[in-house]
Amino acid sequence: MKFKKLNYIFLVFFSLSISIYAQQGVLNAKTPEEMRKAELSPSVLADKPMQYAYVDQRDILWSKTVWEVIDLDERINFSLYYPVDTVALDVSRRSLYDVLVKSIKSGELSEVYVDSYFTEKRAFKDLKATLQKIDTTDLGFQALNAGEVIPAEYINKRDITAADIEQYLIKGMWYFDKRLGELKYRLIGIAPVAPDVNFIDDDSVDPEENKVPLFWVWYPSVRDILHKARVFNQKNPSSPVSFDMLLNARRFNSMIYREDNEFGDRDIKDYIVKNALFQLLESNRIKEAIRDKEQDMWSY
């Protein structure tokens, strides 16, 4: 017992020392470049994210795949949404959407798919129709019909930006590891959700019916990228965390909207129609059933 207490005290002391070190570096910086370097916590500067442990298929006693929605209107999920202004802040701070799109555009991230079953791959050029709308005004069509070149001011371009992202969908698996004797979770995929770019400024369209997942990312392939991207730590700004740490630690609030089932993995809204309260209760029922599974494994 004393040994455990000593370990705990050491961890607390080590965490505090990291934060103090980072603050001293910022305060003692002689140039802006030194300040920006000092703002990075040593934990974030690690070369690679913490590796997943190997799980043998024979060790999985029970598993369930669930799809969840993360609503960015909830305060606890703000870290995944902000900052949406990419001009006023330093380049080291970007929203999750900006990090994903920049990596796809540069080719660093290639495991991008159409849906959550990861069967059809997409490149950035294939996503342009989803992320951008190009519309010609009536004056532009008049110029085209007259055989003239359409002036640039007669062409409207609308891009999906970080400010337009309303939700994130995630797919993951809960499983009971009989070798470790505990219930664990593994994130499989993530997708940003925004209004359909073709109807994004159309007030006649129901906003709730106009949300679409822009693309799905195979999560294991993006861990290194998200590990290098910082997330603002509200409790201690001098010790930021990475997007990979935040997502793997499940430091967000979400609602289950689908589970794997014999009905073709149908959504909750498909069998509980037009009743938001009952849909929420069904989501909570699935959550509780997963949590109770660990306790049930130890019942004789």
Side-chain angles (χ1 to χ4, degrees), residues 3-21 236 239:
F3 182 71
K4 289 183 178 179
K5 288 183 178 179
L6 288 174
N7 281 341
Y8 176 76
I9 293 171
F10 173 76
L11 289 172
V12 172
F13 176 77
F14 180 72
S15 301
L16 289 174
S17 65
I18 289 176
S19 302
I20 293 171
Y21 174 80
N236 187 3
S239 182

Side-chain angles (χ1 to χ4, degrees), residues 64 66 68-69 174 183 250 252-257 259 280-293:
K64 176 167 283 295
V66 294
E68 301 169 83
V69 56
W174 288 96
L183 186 69
R250 292 187 62 86
F252 54 79
N253 187 48
S254 63
M255 186 185 79
I256 295 175
Y257 71 91
E259 62 172 334
L280 179 61
L281 292 175
E282 175 67 4
S283 175
N284 290 335
R285 183 196 66 79
I286 296 172
K287 279 185 180 180
E288 291 301 320
I290 293 173
R291 290 172 182 169
D292 291 343
K293 182 62 66 173

Side-chain angles (χ1 to χ4, degrees), residues 173-239:
M173 177 185 286
W174 288 96
Y175 64 96
F176 187 84
D177 191 325
K178 67 179 181 181
R179 184 172 60 85
L180 298 177
E182 61 181 348
L183 186 69
K184 301 179 74 68
Y185 177 79
R186 183 71 60 86
L187 187 58
I188 298 174
I190 185 168
V193 176
D196 189 332
V197 70
N198 297 304
F199 307 100
I200 192 169
D201 298 319
D202 190 349
D203 296 333
S204 64
V205 179
D206 185 1
E208 292 300 319
E209 298 295 330
N210 193 34
K211 297 177 184 177
V212 294
L214 303 178
F215 51 83
W216 276 89
V217 175
W218 174 252
Y219 188 77
S221 69
V222 77
R223 290 195 65 208
D224 288 338
I225 297 170
L226 297 185
H227 179 70
K228 298 173 185 176
R230 290 189 299 161
V231 180
F232 184 78
N233 188 345
Q234 297 182 6
K235 295 184 178 179
N236 187 3
S238 66
S239 182

Side-chain angles (χ1 to χ4, degrees), residues 111-176:
E111 296 296 319
V112 181
Y113 297 84
V114 175
D115 55 29
S116 61
Y117 294 98
F118 311 105
T119 55
E120 191 175 344
K121 216 169 185 180
R122 284 288 185 267
F124 182 74
K125 62 180 181 180
D126 303 320
L127 298 174
K128 285 187 177 180
T130 307
L131 305 180
Q132 184 184 76
K133 178 180 72 172
I134 301 177
D135 193 16
T136 304
T137 63
D138 293 338
L139 292 176
F141 281 116
Q142 291 178 12
L144 181 64
N145 293 332
E148 302 173 359
V149 177
I150 303 177
E153 60 267 22
Y154 295 156
I155 299 177
N156 297 326
K157 291 185 179 180
R158 178 66 162 90
D159 294 314
I160 295 291
T161 65
D164 298 316
I165 305 302
E166 299 182 4
Q167 299 172 342
Y168 278 98
L169 305 182
I170 59 172
K171 178 183 179 181
M173 177 185 286
W174 288 96
Y175 64 96
F176 187 84

